[in-house]
Amino acid sequence: MAGSNGKQKTVRDMILSLGLIMVAAGVIYIFVPHDDHAPDIKRVDYRVELLTARRAASYPVAAPEGLPGSWKATSVRFRADESDAWHLGFQDPDGEYVAVEQSAQKRAEFVEEASQGAKATKVTDEIGGRTWTRYTGGRYDALVLEGGDGSTTVVAGTASFDRLVKMAGALRTE
């Protein structure tokens, strides 16, 4: 029975070590700050890019006017070398994403890309005297402006159709 005392001591040491590790982990968890909410997204000023796009694009570039301050512009870009592609991204008051996309690119390809694979429905909305077709599915839902002036306009994102309609209604050219 000479070896049994050594085994008991080893098991007791392992249990004490495990307890000490658990206490240390608990202390670290309590004192290390952890933030579970989404990071605050920086607001961008898109006025300069909008003026540039309106001067350079082959079509009337759209941007919202009159949206409440709770709508936060988060991204903007104009790419003249990519079919005059205009992008303006927003975070809506609920924290969802809404983007205004315009391009002189071939309509079907552009709608597929801008709507992240959404498919046309038979539902249309009259917004500001213009007809918009609803697209659903894919990663985003979208509204696509029917008719055009040398470009295709898409309002898309993770937001509800109510928010997409609000954005489409706020769009102005010049």
mmCIF file with all atom_site columns, all heavy atoms in Angstrom, residues 110-137:
data_model
loop_
_atom_site.group_PDB
_atom_site.id
_atom_site.type_symbol
_atom_site.label_atom_id
_atom_site.label_alt_id
_atom_site.label_comp_id
_atom_site.label_asym_id
_atom_site.label_entity_id
_atom_site.label_seq_id
_atom_site.pdbx_PDB_ins_code
_atom_site.Cartn_x
_atom_site.Cartn_y
_atom_site.Cartn_z
_atom_site.occupancy
_atom_site.B_iso_or_equiv
_atom_site.pdbx_formal_charge
_atom_site.auth_seq_id
_atom_site.auth_comp_id
_atom_site.auth_asym_id
_atom_site.auth_atom_id
_atom_site.pdbx_PDB_model_num
ATOM 1   N N   . PHE A 1 110 ? -26.431 44.790 -63.395 1.00 0.00 ? 110 PHE A N   1
ATOM 2   C CA  . PHE A 1 110 ? -26.323 45.736 -62.285 1.00 0.00 ? 110 PHE A CA  1
ATOM 3   C C   . PHE A 1 110 ? -27.342 45.432 -61.190 1.00 0.00 ? 110 PHE A C   1
ATOM 4   O O   . PHE A 1 110 ? -27.013 45.446 -60.005 1.00 0.00 ? 110 PHE A O   1
ATOM 5   C CB  . PHE A 1 110 ? -26.492 47.175 -62.782 1.00 0.00 ? 110 PHE A CB  1
ATOM 6   C CG  . PHE A 1 110 ? -26.407 48.181 -61.674 1.00 0.00 ? 110 PHE A CG  1
ATOM 7   C CD1 . PHE A 1 110 ? -25.207 48.393 -61.008 1.00 0.00 ? 110 PHE A CD1 1
ATOM 8   C CD2 . PHE A 1 110 ? -27.521 48.888 -61.263 1.00 0.00 ? 110 PHE A CD2 1
ATOM 9   C CE1 . PHE A 1 110 ? -25.116 49.310 -59.965 1.00 0.00 ? 110 PHE A CE1 1
ATOM 10  C CE2 . PHE A 1 110 ? -27.446 49.804 -60.227 1.00 0.00 ? 110 PHE A CE2 1
ATOM 11  C CZ  . PHE A 1 110 ? -26.238 50.010 -59.576 1.00 0.00 ? 110 PHE A CZ  1
ATOM 12  N N   . VAL A 1 111 ? -28.585 45.143 -61.558 1.00 0.00 ? 111 VAL A N   1
ATOM 13  C CA  . VAL A 1 111 ? -29.616 44.832 -60.566 1.00 0.00 ? 111 VAL A CA  1
ATOM 14  C C   . VAL A 1 111 ? -29.234 43.576 -59.789 1.00 0.00 ? 111 VAL A C   1
ATOM 15  O O   . VAL A 1 111 ? -29.377 43.534 -58.564 1.00 0.00 ? 111 VAL A O   1
ATOM 16  C CB  . VAL A 1 111 ? -31.008 44.690 -61.221 1.00 0.00 ? 111 VAL A CB  1
ATOM 17  C CG1 . VAL A 1 111 ? -32.028 44.134 -60.241 1.00 0.00 ? 111 VAL A CG1 1
ATOM 18  C CG2 . VAL A 1 111 ? -31.475 46.030 -61.779 1.00 0.00 ? 111 VAL A CG2 1
ATOM 19  N N   . GLU A 1 112 ? -28.735 42.576 -60.462 1.00 0.00 ? 112 GLU A N   1
ATOM 20  C CA  . GLU A 1 112 ? -28.292 41.342 -59.805 1.00 0.00 ? 112 GLU A CA  1
ATOM 21  C C   . GLU A 1 112 ? -27.215 41.646 -58.764 1.00 0.00 ? 112 GLU A C   1
ATOM 22  O O   . GLU A 1 112 ? -27.257 41.167 -57.636 1.00 0.00 ? 112 GLU A O   1
ATOM 23  C CB  . GLU A 1 112 ? -27.757 40.355 -60.857 1.00 0.00 ? 112 GLU A CB  1
ATOM 24  C CG  . GLU A 1 112 ? -27.064 39.138 -60.295 1.00 0.00 ? 112 GLU A CG  1
ATOM 25  C CD  . GLU A 1 112 ? -28.002 38.093 -59.736 1.00 0.00 ? 112 GLU A CD  1
ATOM 26  O OE1 . GLU A 1 112 ? -29.193 38.105 -60.064 1.00 0.00 ? 112 GLU A OE1 1
ATOM 27  O OE2 . GLU A 1 112 ? -27.518 37.250 -58.938 1.00 0.00 ? 112 GLU A OE2 1
ATOM 28  N N   . GLU A 1 113 ? -26.250 42.463 -59.160 1.00 0.00 ? 113 GLU A N   1
ATOM 29  C CA  . GLU A 1 113 ? -25.137 42.815 -58.275 1.00 0.00 ? 113 GLU A CA  1
ATOM 30  C C   . GLU A 1 113 ? -25.599 43.709 -57.118 1.00 0.00 ? 113 GLU A C   1
ATOM 31  O O   . GLU A 1 113 ? -25.287 43.453 -55.957 1.00 0.00 ? 113 GLU A O   1
ATOM 32  C CB  . GLU A 1 113 ? -24.077 43.536 -59.104 1.00 0.00 ? 113 GLU A CB  1
ATOM 33  C CG  . GLU A 1 113 ? -22.823 43.892 -58.369 1.00 0.00 ? 113 GLU A CG  1
ATOM 34  C CD  . GLU A 1 113 ? -21.849 44.598 -59.300 1.00 0.00 ? 113 GLU A CD  1
ATOM 35  O OE1 . GLU A 1 113 ? -21.548 44.054 -60.384 1.00 0.00 ? 113 GLU A OE1 1
ATOM 36  O OE2 . GLU A 1 113 ? -21.404 45.701 -58.937 1.00 0.00 ? 113 GLU A OE2 1
ATOM 37  N N   . ALA A 1 114 ? -26.350 44.750 -57.428 1.00 0.00 ? 114 ALA A N   1
ATOM 38  C CA  . ALA A 1 114 ? -26.757 45.729 -56.409 1.00 0.00 ? 114 ALA A CA  1
ATOM 39  C C   . ALA A 1 114 ? -27.741 45.153 -55.398 1.00 0.00 ? 114 ALA A C   1
ATOM 40  O O   . ALA A 1 114 ? -27.743 45.538 -54.237 1.00 0.00 ? 114 ALA A O   1
ATOM 41  C CB  . ALA A 1 114 ? -27.365 46.959 -57.073 1.00 0.00 ? 114 ALA A CB  1
ATOM 42  N N   . SER A 1 115 ? -28.571 44.210 -55.839 1.00 0.00 ? 115 SER A N   1
ATOM 43  C CA  . SER A 1 115 ? -29.572 43.623 -54.942 1.00 0.00 ? 115 SER A CA  1
ATOM 44  C C   . SER A 1 115 ? -29.078 42.348 -54.270 1.00 0.00 ? 115 SER A C   1
ATOM 45  O O   . SER A 1 115 ? -29.832 41.696 -53.552 1.00 0.00 ? 115 SER A O   1
ATOM 46  C CB  . SER A 1 115 ? -30.863 43.325 -55.710 1.00 0.00 ? 115 SER A CB  1
ATOM 47  O OG  . SER A 1 115 ? -30.666 42.252 -56.617 1.00 0.00 ? 115 SER A OG  1
ATOM 48  N N   . GLN A 1 116 ? -27.825 41.984 -54.533 1.00 0.00 ? 116 GLN A N   1
ATOM 49  C CA  . GLN A 1 116 ? -27.231 40.771 -53.949 1.00 0.00 ? 116 GLN A CA  1
ATOM 50  C C   . GLN A 1 116 ? -28.049 39.526 -54.283 1.00 0.00 ? 116 GLN A C   1
ATOM 51  O O   . GLN A 1 116 ? -28.273 38.660 -53.436 1.00 0.00 ? 116 GLN A O   1
ATOM 52  C CB  . GLN A 1 116 ? -27.087 40.920 -52.434 1.00 0.00 ? 116 GLN A CB  1
ATOM 53  C CG  . GLN A 1 116 ? -26.229 42.076 -51.989 1.00 0.00 ? 116 GLN A CG  1
ATOM 54  C CD  . GLN A 1 116 ? -24.756 41.790 -52.116 1.00 0.00 ? 116 GLN A CD  1
ATOM 55  O OE1 . GLN A 1 116 ? -24.306 40.721 -51.757 1.00 0.00 ? 116 GLN A OE1 1
ATOM 56  N NE2 . GLN A 1 116 ? -24.012 42.743 -52.625 1.00 0.00 ? 116 GLN A NE2 1
ATOM 57  N N   . GLY A 1 117 ? -28.534 39.450 -55.528 1.00 0.00 ? 117 GLY A N   1
ATOM 58  C CA  . GLY A 1 117 ? -29.219 38.245 -55.985 1.00 0.00 ? 117 GLY A CA  1
ATOM 59  C C   . GLY A 1 117 ? -30.708 38.205 -55.743 1.00 0.00 ? 117 GLY A C   1
ATOM 60  O O   . GLY A 1 117 ? -31.335 37.170 -55.944 1.00 0.00 ? 117 GLY A O   1
ATOM 61  N N   . ALA A 1 118 ? -31.316 39.309 -55.337 1.00 0.00 ? 118 ALA A N   1
ATOM 62  C CA  . ALA A 1 118 ? -32.775 39.330 -55.123 1.00 0.00 ? 118 ALA A CA  1
ATOM 63  C C   . ALA A 1 118 ? -33.487 39.180 -56.470 1.00 0.00 ? 118 ALA A C   1
ATOM 64  O O   . ALA A 1 118 ? -32.948 39.529 -57.522 1.00 0.00 ? 118 ALA A O   1
ATOM 65  C CB  . ALA A 1 118 ? -33.186 40.626 -54.436 1.00 0.00 ? 118 ALA A CB  1
ATOM 66  N N   . LYS A 1 119 ? -34.704 38.659 -56.429 1.00 0.00 ? 119 LYS A N   1
ATOM 67  C CA  . LYS A 1 119 ? -35.487 38.410 -57.639 1.00 0.00 ? 119 LYS A CA  1
ATOM 68  C C   . LYS A 1 119 ? -36.705 39.324 -57.673 1.00 0.00 ? 119 LYS A C   1
ATOM 69  O O   . LYS A 1 119 ? -37.310 39.631 -56.640 1.00 0.00 ? 119 LYS A O   1
ATOM 70  C CB  . LYS A 1 119 ? -35.962 36.946 -57.686 1.00 0.00 ? 119 LYS A CB  1
ATOM 71  C CG  . LYS A 1 119 ? -34.827 35.932 -57.645 1.00 0.00 ? 119 LYS A CG  1
ATOM 72  C CD  . LYS A 1 119 ? -33.938 36.044 -58.858 1.00 0.00 ? 119 LYS A CD  1
ATOM 73  C CE  . LYS A 1 119 ? -32.792 35.039 -58.795 1.00 0.00 ? 119 LYS A CE  1
ATOM 74  N NZ  . LYS A 1 119 ? -31.684 35.409 -59.617 1.00 0.00 ? 119 LYS A NZ  1
ATOM 75  N N   . ALA A 1 120 ? -37.075 39.740 -58.881 1.00 0.00 ? 120 ALA A N   1
ATOM 76  C CA  . ALA A 1 120 ? -38.215 40.638 -59.074 1.00 0.00 ? 120 ALA A CA  1
ATOM 77  C C   . ALA A 1 120 ? -39.515 39.976 -58.623 1.00 0.00 ? 120 ALA A C   1
ATOM 78  O O   . ALA A 1 120 ? -39.711 38.779 -58.802 1.00 0.00 ? 120 ALA A O   1
ATOM 79  C CB  . ALA A 1 120 ? -38.319 41.040 -60.535 1.00 0.00 ? 120 ALA A CB  1
ATOM 80  N N   . THR A 1 121 ? -40.379 40.779 -58.017 1.00 0.00 ? 121 THR A N   1
ATOM 81  C CA  . THR A 1 121 ? -41.722 40.338 -57.670 1.00 0.00 ? 121 THR A CA  1
ATOM 82  C C   . THR A 1 121 ? -42.699 41.059 -58.594 1.00 0.00 ? 121 THR A C   1
ATOM 83  O O   . THR A 1 121 ? -42.289 41.887 -59.405 1.00 0.00 ? 121 THR A O   1
ATOM 84  C CB  . THR A 1 121 ? -42.070 40.675 -56.206 1.00 0.00 ? 121 THR A CB  1
ATOM 85  O OG1 . THR A 1 121 ? -42.163 42.098 -56.074 1.00 0.00 ? 121 THR A OG1 1
ATOM 86  C CG2 . THR A 1 121 ? -41.028 40.123 -55.246 1.00 0.00 ? 121 THR A CG2 1
ATOM 87  N N   . LYS A 1 122 ? -43.969 40.789 -58.446 1.00 0.00 ? 122 LYS A N   1
ATOM 88  C CA  . LYS A 1 122 ? -44.981 41.482 -59.242 1.00 0.00 ? 122 LYS A CA  1
ATOM 89  C C   . LYS A 1 122 ? -45.505 42.711 -58.511 1.00 0.00 ? 122 LYS A C   1
ATOM 90  O O   . LYS A 1 122 ? -46.394 43.388 -58.993 1.00 0.00 ? 122 LYS A O   1
ATOM 91  C CB  . LYS A 1 122 ? -46.119 40.519 -59.572 1.00 0.00 ? 122 LYS A CB  1
ATOM 92  C CG  . LYS A 1 122 ? -45.651 39.391 -60.465 1.00 0.00 ? 122 LYS A CG  1
ATOM 93  C CD  . LYS A 1 122 ? -46.741 38.441 -60.829 1.00 0.00 ? 122 LYS A CD  1
ATOM 94  C CE  . LYS A 1 122 ? -46.103 37.345 -61.676 1.00 0.00 ? 122 LYS A CE  1
ATOM 95  N NZ  . LYS A 1 122 ? -46.994 36.475 -62.301 1.00 0.00 ? 122 LYS A NZ  1
ATOM 96  N N   . VAL A 1 123 ? -44.925 43.006 -57.359 1.00 0.00 ? 123 VAL A N   1
ATOM 97  C CA  . VAL A 1 123 ? -45.365 44.134 -56.543 1.00 0.00 ? 123 VAL A CA  1
ATOM 98  C C   . VAL A 1 123 ? -44.593 45.382 -56.947 1.00 0.00 ? 123 VAL A C   1
ATOM 99  O O   . VAL A 1 123 ? -43.368 45.350 -57.070 1.00 0.00 ? 123 VAL A O   1
ATOM 100 C CB  . VAL A 1 123 ? -45.154 43.847 -55.038 1.00 0.00 ? 123 VAL A CB  1
ATOM 101 C CG1 . VAL A 1 123 ? -45.590 45.022 -54.190 1.00 0.00 ? 123 VAL A CG1 1
ATOM 102 C CG2 . VAL A 1 123 ? -45.866 42.572 -54.634 1.00 0.00 ? 123 VAL A CG2 1
ATOM 103 N N   . THR A 1 124 ? -45.334 46.471 -57.160 1.00 0.00 ? 124 THR A N   1
ATOM 104 C CA  . THR A 1 124 ? -44.693 47.750 -57.463 1.00 0.00 ? 124 THR A CA  1
ATOM 105 C C   . THR A 1 124 ? -45.184 48.790 -56.466 1.00 0.00 ? 124 THR A C   1
ATOM 106 O O   . THR A 1 124 ? -46.247 48.643 -55.859 1.00 0.00 ? 124 THR A O   1
ATOM 107 C CB  . THR A 1 124 ? -45.010 48.228 -58.897 1.00 0.00 ? 124 THR A CB  1
ATOM 108 O OG1 . THR A 1 124 ? -46.419 48.376 -59.034 1.00 0.00 ? 124 THR A OG1 1
ATOM 109 C CG2 . THR A 1 124 ? -44.470 47.264 -59.929 1.00 0.00 ? 124 THR A CG2 1
ATOM 110 N N   . ASP A 1 125 ? -44.390 49.838 -56.314 1.00 0.00 ? 125 ASP A N   1
ATOM 111 C CA  . ASP A 1 125 ? -44.743 50.959 -55.449 1.00 0.00 ? 125 ASP A CA  1
ATOM 112 C C   . ASP A 1 125 ? -44.646 52.242 -56.270 1.00 0.00 ? 125 ASP A C   1
ATOM 113 O O   . ASP A 1 125 ? -43.674 52.423 -57.016 1.00 0.00 ? 125 ASP A O   1
ATOM 114 C CB  . ASP A 1 125 ? -43.776 51.054 -54.261 1.00 0.00 ? 125 ASP A CB  1
ATOM 115 C CG  . ASP A 1 125 ? -43.934 49.914 -53.279 1.00 0.00 ? 125 ASP A CG  1
ATOM 116 O OD1 . ASP A 1 125 ? -45.001 49.830 -52.657 1.00 0.00 ? 125 ASP A OD1 1
ATOM 117 O OD2 . ASP A 1 125 ? -42.985 49.118 -53.128 1.00 0.00 ? 125 ASP A OD2 1
ATOM 118 N N   . GLU A 1 126 ? -45.627 53.125 -56.110 1.00 0.00 ? 126 GLU A N   1
ATOM 119 C CA  . GLU A 1 126 ? -45.564 54.456 -56.699 1.00 0.00 ? 126 GLU A CA  1
ATOM 120 C C   . GLU A 1 126 ? -44.947 55.365 -55.656 1.00 0.00 ? 126 GLU A C   1
ATOM 121 O O   . GLU A 1 126 ? -45.552 55.619 -54.611 1.00 0.00 ? 126 GLU A O   1
ATOM 122 C CB  . GLU A 1 126 ? -46.957 54.959 -57.079 1.00 0.00 ? 126 GLU A CB  1
ATOM 123 C CG  . GLU A 1 126 ? -47.528 54.339 -58.325 1.00 0.00 ? 126 GLU A CG  1
ATOM 124 C CD  . GLU A 1 126 ? -46.742 54.696 -59.585 1.00 0.00 ? 126 GLU A CD  1
ATOM 125 O OE1 . GLU A 1 126 ? -46.335 55.858 -59.748 1.00 0.00 ? 126 GLU A OE1 1
ATOM 126 O OE2 . GLU A 1 126 ? -46.527 53.789 -60.400 1.00 0.00 ? 126 GLU A OE2 1
ATOM 127 N N   . ILE A 1 127 ? -43.754 55.843 -55.940 1.00 0.00 ? 127 ILE A N   1
ATOM 128 C CA  . ILE A 1 127 ? -43.025 56.677 -54.984 1.00 0.00 ? 127 ILE A CA  1
ATOM 129 C C   . ILE A 1 127 ? -42.581 57.931 -55.722 1.00 0.00 ? 127 ILE A C   1
ATOM 130 O O   . ILE A 1 127 ? -41.817 57.843 -56.683 1.00 0.00 ? 127 ILE A O   1
ATOM 131 C CB  . ILE A 1 127 ? -41.793 55.939 -54.410 1.00 0.00 ? 127 ILE A CB  1
ATOM 132 C CG1 . ILE A 1 127 ? -42.204 54.591 -53.806 1.00 0.00 ? 127 ILE A CG1 1
ATOM 133 C CG2 . ILE A 1 127 ? -41.082 56.801 -53.384 1.00 0.00 ? 127 ILE A CG2 1
ATOM 134 C CD1 . ILE A 1 127 ? -41.040 53.663 -53.507 1.00 0.00 ? 127 ILE A CD1 1
ATOM 135 N N   . GLY A 1 128 ? -43.070 59.063 -55.274 1.00 0.00 ? 128 GLY A N   1
ATOM 136 C CA  . GLY A 1 128 ? -42.681 60.321 -55.907 1.00 0.00 ? 128 GLY A CA  1
ATOM 137 C C   . GLY A 1 128 ? -43.040 60.389 -57.378 1.00 0.00 ? 128 GLY A C   1
ATOM 138 O O   . GLY A 1 128 ? -42.297 60.969 -58.159 1.00 0.00 ? 128 GLY A O   1
ATOM 139 N N   . GLY A 1 129 ? -44.153 59.777 -57.751 1.00 0.00 ? 129 GLY A N   1
ATOM 140 C CA  . GLY A 1 129 ? -44.584 59.799 -59.144 1.00 0.00 ? 129 GLY A CA  1
ATOM 141 C C   . GLY A 1 129 ? -43.831 58.851 -60.059 1.00 0.00 ? 129 GLY A C   1
ATOM 142 O O   . GLY A 1 129 ? -43.998 58.907 -61.276 1.00 0.00 ? 129 GLY A O   1
ATOM 143 N N   . ARG A 1 130 ? -43.014 57.973 -59.477 1.00 0.00 ? 130 ARG A N   1
ATOM 144 C CA  . ARG A 1 130 ? -42.267 57.009 -60.282 1.00 0.00 ? 130 ARG A CA  1
ATOM 145 C C   . ARG A 1 130 ? -42.580 55.595 -59.796 1.00 0.00 ? 130 ARG A C   1
ATOM 146 O O   . ARG A 1 130 ? -42.890 55.387 -58.630 1.00 0.00 ? 130 ARG A O   1
ATOM 147 C CB  . ARG A 1 130 ? -40.773 57.287 -60.184 1.00 0.00 ? 130 ARG A CB  1
ATOM 148 C CG  . ARG A 1 130 ? -40.431 58.689 -60.692 1.00 0.00 ? 130 ARG A CG  1
ATOM 149 C CD  . ARG A 1 130 ? -38.964 58.984 -60.675 1.00 0.00 ? 130 ARG A CD  1
ATOM 150 N NE  . ARG A 1 130 ? -38.450 59.005 -59.298 1.00 0.00 ? 130 ARG A NE  1
ATOM 151 C CZ  . ARG A 1 130 ? -37.192 59.267 -58.988 1.00 0.00 ? 130 ARG A CZ  1
ATOM 152 N NH1 . ARG A 1 130 ? -36.313 59.506 -59.926 1.00 0.00 ? 130 ARG A NH1 1
ATOM 153 N NH2 . ARG A 1 130 ? -36.805 59.286 -57.738 1.00 0.00 ? 130 ARG A NH2 1
ATOM 154 N N   . THR A 1 131 ? -42.471 54.633 -60.683 1.00 0.00 ? 131 THR A N   1
ATOM 155 C CA  . THR A 1 131 ? -42.784 53.239 -60.359 1.00 0.00 ? 131 THR A CA  1
ATOM 156 C C   . THR A 1 131 ? -41.504 52.489 -60.009 1.00 0.00 ? 131 THR A C   1
ATOM 157 O O   . THR A 1 131 ? -40.537 52.496 -60.770 1.00 0.00 ? 131 THR A O   1
ATOM 158 C CB  . THR A 1 131 ? -43.481 52.545 -61.549 1.00 0.00 ? 131 THR A CB  1
ATOM 159 O OG1 . THR A 1 131 ? -44.656 53.281 -61.879 1.00 0.00 ? 131 THR A OG1 1
ATOM 160 C CG2 . THR A 1 131 ? -43.860 51.113 -61.201 1.00 0.00 ? 131 THR A CG2 1
ATOM 161 N N   . TRP A 1 132 ? -41.534 51.832 -58.853 1.00 0.00 ? 132 TRP A N   1
ATOM 162 C CA  . TRP A 1 132 ? -40.421 51.026 -58.370 1.00 0.00 ? 132 TRP A CA  1
ATOM 163 C C   . TRP A 1 132 ? -40.914 49.591 -58.228 1.00 0.00 ? 132 TRP A C   1
ATOM 164 O O   . TRP A 1 132 ? -41.980 49.342 -57.679 1.00 0.00 ? 132 TRP A O   1
ATOM 165 C CB  . TRP A 1 132 ? -39.946 51.525 -57.011 1.00 0.00 ? 132 TRP A CB  1
ATOM 166 C CG  . TRP A 1 132 ? -39.378 52.900 -56.991 1.00 0.00 ? 132 TRP A CG  1
ATOM 167 C CD1 . TRP A 1 132 ? -40.063 54.070 -57.057 1.00 0.00 ? 132 TRP A CD1 1
ATOM 168 C CD2 . TRP A 1 132 ? -38.001 53.246 -56.892 1.00 0.00 ? 132 TRP A CD2 1
ATOM 169 N NE1 . TRP A 1 132 ? -39.203 55.133 -56.995 1.00 0.00 ? 132 TRP A NE1 1
ATOM 170 C CE2 . TRP A 1 132 ? -37.918 54.651 -56.887 1.00 0.00 ? 132 TRP A CE2 1
ATOM 171 C CE3 . TRP A 1 132 ? -36.823 52.509 -56.789 1.00 0.00 ? 132 TRP A CE3 1
ATOM 172 C CZ2 . TRP A 1 132 ? -36.719 55.341 -56.798 1.00 0.00 ? 132 TRP A CZ2 1
ATOM 173 C CZ3 . TRP A 1 132 ? -35.624 53.195 -56.699 1.00 0.00 ? 132 TRP A CZ3 1
ATOM 174 C CH2 . TRP A 1 132 ? -35.568 54.595 -56.705 1.00 0.00 ? 132 TRP A CH2 1
ATOM 175 N N   . THR A 1 133 ? -40.124 48.639 -58.677 1.00 0.00 ? 133 THR A N   1
ATOM 176 C CA  . THR A 1 133 ? -40.451 47.218 -58.544 1.00 0.00 ? 133 THR A CA  1
ATOM 177 C C   . THR A 1 133 ? -39.730 46.649 -57.329 1.00 0.00 ? 133 THR A C   1
ATOM 178 O O   . THR A 1 133 ? -38.548 46.910 -57.118 1.00 0.00 ? 133 THR A O   1
ATOM 179 C CB  . THR A 1 133 ? -40.034 46.431 -59.810 1.00 0.00 ? 133 THR A CB  1
ATOM 180 O OG1 . THR A 1 133 ? -40.719 46.984 -60.926 1.00 0.00 ? 133 THR A OG1 1
ATOM 181 C CG2 . THR A 1 133 ? -40.371 44.952 -59.682 1.00 0.00 ? 133 THR A CG2 1
ATOM 182 N N   . ARG A 1 134 ? -40.456 45.851 -56.549 1.00 0.00 ? 134 ARG A N   1
ATOM 183 C CA  . ARG A 1 134 ? -39.850 45.197 -55.379 1.00 0.00 ? 134 ARG A CA  1
ATOM 184 C C   . ARG A 1 134 ? -39.118 43.927 -55.796 1.00 0.00 ? 134 ARG A C   1
ATOM 185 O O   . ARG A 1 134 ? -39.616 43.144 -56.598 1.00 0.00 ? 134 ARG A O   1
ATOM 186 C CB  . ARG A 1 134 ? -40.922 44.834 -54.354 1.00 0.00 ? 134 ARG A CB  1
ATOM 187 C CG  . ARG A 1 134 ? -41.485 46.011 -53.625 1.00 0.00 ? 134 ARG A CG  1
ATOM 188 C CD  . ARG A 1 134 ? -42.422 45.573 -52.512 1.00 0.00 ? 134 ARG A CD  1
ATOM 189 N NE  . ARG A 1 134 ? -42.952 46.755 -51.843 1.00 0.00 ? 134 ARG A NE  1
ATOM 190 C CZ  . ARG A 1 134 ? -43.409 46.744 -50.603 1.00 0.00 ? 134 ARG A CZ  1
ATOM 191 N NH1 . ARG A 1 134 ? -43.424 45.618 -49.914 1.00 0.00 ? 134 ARG A NH1 1
ATOM 192 N NH2 . ARG A 1 134 ? -43.879 47.852 -50.073 1.00 0.00 ? 134 ARG A NH2 1
ATOM 193 N N   . TYR A 1 135 ? -37.956 43.757 -55.209 1.00 0.00 ? 135 TYR A N   1
ATOM 194 C CA  . TYR A 1 135 ? -37.152 42.547 -55.381 1.00 0.00 ? 135 TYR A CA  1
ATOM 195 C C   . TYR A 1 135 ? -36.962 41.951 -53.983 1.00 0.00 ? 135 TYR A C   1
ATOM 196 O O   . TYR A 1 135 ? -36.719 42.689 -53.031 1.00 0.00 ? 135 TYR A O   1
ATOM 197 C CB  . TYR A 1 135 ? -35.785 42.875 -55.975 1.00 0.00 ? 135 TYR A CB  1
ATOM 198 C CG  . TYR A 1 135 ? -35.774 43.093 -57.469 1.00 0.00 ? 135 TYR A CG  1
ATOM 199 C CD1 . TYR A 1 135 ? -36.518 44.110 -58.054 1.00 0.00 ? 135 TYR A CD1 1
ATOM 200 C CD2 . TYR A 1 135 ? -35.013 42.285 -58.294 1.00 0.00 ? 135 TYR A CD2 1
ATOM 201 C CE1 . TYR A 1 135 ? -36.494 44.314 -59.433 1.00 0.00 ? 135 TYR A CE1 1
ATOM 202 C CE2 . TYR A 1 135 ? -34.983 42.481 -59.672 1.00 0.00 ? 135 TYR A CE2 1
ATOM 203 C CZ  . TYR A 1 135 ? -35.732 43.502 -60.228 1.00 0.00 ? 135 TYR A CZ  1
ATOM 204 O OH  . TYR A 1 135 ? -35.707 43.693 -61.587 1.00 0.00 ? 135 TYR A OH  1
ATOM 205 N N   . THR A 1 136 ? -37.078 40.636 -53.867 1.00 0.00 ? 136 THR A N   1
ATOM 206 C CA  . THR A 1 136 ? -36.892 39.987 -52.569 1.00 0.00 ? 136 THR A CA  1
ATOM 207 C C   . THR A 1 136 ? -35.931 38.818 -52.682 1.00 0.00 ? 136 THR A C   1
ATOM 208 O O   . THR A 1 136 ? -35.680 38.305 -53.765 1.00 0.00 ? 136 THR A O   1
ATOM 209 C CB  . THR A 1 136 ? -38.233 39.461 -51.997 1.00 0.00 ? 136 THR A CB  1
ATOM 210 O OG1 . THR A 1 136 ? -38.766 38.500 -52.901 1.00 0.00 ? 136 THR A OG1 1
ATOM 211 C CG2 . THR A 1 136 ? -39.226 40.577 -51.772 1.00 0.00 ? 136 THR A CG2 1
ATOM 212 N N   . GLY A 1 137 ? -35.477 38.385 -51.503 1.00 0.00 ? 137 GLY A N   1
ATOM 213 C CA  . GLY A 1 137 ? -34.611 37.219 -51.446 1.00 0.00 ? 137 GLY A CA  1
ATOM 214 C C   . GLY A 1 137 ? -33.160 37.611 -51.482 1.00 0.00 ? 137 GLY A C   1
ATOM 215 O O   . GLY A 1 137 ? -32.804 38.771 -51.339 1.00 0.00 ? 137 GLY A O   1
#
